[in-house]
Amino acid sequence: MSNWFPKWRPYTGSIDARPVGTNEYLPPAQSVVLGIQHAFAMFGATVLAPFLMGFDPNLAILMSGICTILFFIMTGGRVPSYLGSSFAFIGVVIAATGYAASGTGAPNVNIAHAAGGIMACGILYAIFGFIVMATGTKWIEKLMPPVVTGAVVMIIGLNLAPVTVKGVAGNNFNMWMALVTVLCMGSIAVFTKGLLQRLLLLVGLLSAYLIYFIVANVMGNGTPINFTPIQQAAWFGMPTFHSPVFDVNAMLIIAPIALILVAENLGHIKAVSAMTGENLDPHIGKAFVADGIATTLSGGVGAPGMTTYGENIGVMAVTRVYSTIVFVIAGIFAIFLGFSPKFGAIIHTIPTAILTGASIVVFGLITIAGAKIWIENKVDFSKNKNLMVAAVTIILGTGDFALQFGDFNLGGIGTATFAALILNWFFSLKDKSE
């Protein structure tokens, strides 16, 4: 096992003087504080994603902790990453399950079908990882150039926009409170610095929650928050598990998200590699396999699919602490939270208006992340090939253009993803002929 894991060594010197390497560790008290900080960084997004799909947030938190520790073991403790609920699954899960209550916290009665699809996605993702371990990452970059990945990431956000806004439509108070939530998160993103800025989802949610409480519970406007379930909930207990159902239609809609996770994880590892100054390329295949198995395991108990978290990469950028041991502590903390029904009851008191406001921010950020991929990679839109691939993909995904094959519905995101890959390949034939 000594070759699988690095030789750990204590960090020496001042923490302000130089970064903490992936194979270094800090004193226990500092490590615990940093680990809890990482758990808070992932918290907002990891809880919001299951809420929008009708999954159990407690189970999502529990599995994020278990999967992070599993990722640490499978990558030999060499890739600093936290695994949390992936937003890439939201659109396809809603499409595959017919879930119409996104943003309300109501349970999804077809979770079992989504779970089977998430497992299929995780297996496909792990297969990609084994291929990368054998062949490298060049084929991924050829199959999914920036024009494709940028467009596909954008449609994940755009496809969900109508569902999000529908959650508050017709209720004037809720619409205003959704905008207040957007303003809270936006203010933290723009007017703060450092770690507070990285925690914009969590701190923004808490700020909007406090404002909602004052306006609704104290001033008597809108539906007040009901705190009774918190008092009735036990401190410790098991979250709700669901056995998967392997429905071919749901599996074919959800499984293609593996392509998005591959592109996302590849970008995250490249970013961490640049930050740490360590070459993490030899571990990319292992990271894909680990994330794929984690997603399969998570789907197997009825939790959302997993992905490496940009929020935690942001925390590393601020703290310059890259020790992978810190992520194990974060995972253990998340497991404890997952076993607390009282913690789950607190999450369930979050009003629909606040969840909708948070969704507007999150889905907007996903959309802009796609545009950022184009800008950072200098995608040349003077080329008609790039114009056509991007234009067709975005409209197919935003308009939810869902192809039907017999009983099978590919869904808007699935149709747009395959269209992007096929069009990019087909139009590239011109380059080869020239």
Side-chain angles (χ1 to χ4, degrees), residues 43 47 51 56-59 61 229-230 233-235 239 336-350:
F43 175 82
V47 166
F51 241 120
D56 179 2
N58 262 51
L59 183 59
I61 290 283
I230 298 174
W235 280 103
F336 277 114
L337 287 179
F339 281 124
S340 175
K342 195 170 282 290
F343 169 69
I346 293 168
I347 296 168
H348 277 282
T349 63
I350 302 172

Side-chain angles (χ1 to χ4, degrees), residues 336-418:
F336 277 114
L337 287 179
F339 281 124
S340 175
K342 195 170 282 290
F343 169 69
I346 293 168
I347 296 168
H348 277 282
T349 63
I350 302 172
T352 301
I354 293 177
L355 287 170
T356 298
S359 303
I360 290 168
V361 173
V362 168
F363 300 153
L365 289 173
I366 292 170
T367 303
I368 299 306
K372 197 169 166 227
I373 290 170
W374 289 344
I375 294 164
E376 287 177 348
N377 291 279
K378 298 181 172 63
V379 175
D380 185 1
F381 283 112
S382 67
K383 290 184 178 177
N384 283 347
K385 181 190 92 168
N386 290 341
L387 265 180
M388 290 303 296
V389 169
V392 172
T393 303
I394 287 170
I395 296 303
L396 288 177
T398 306
D400 203 26
F401 189 99
L403 278 180
Q404 190 87 20
F405 299 95
D407 294 333
F408 165 60
N409 187 314
L410 189 57
I413 293 174
T415 302
T417 301
F418 283 115

Side-chain angles (χ1 to χ4, degrees), residues 267-288:
H268 284 174
I269 292 172
K270 295 280 190 187
V272 172
S273 191
M275 271 196 302
T276 60
E278 299 176 25
N279 180 21
L280 298 178
D281 284 6
H283 309 300
I284 288 172
K286 281 190 288 186
F288 287 176

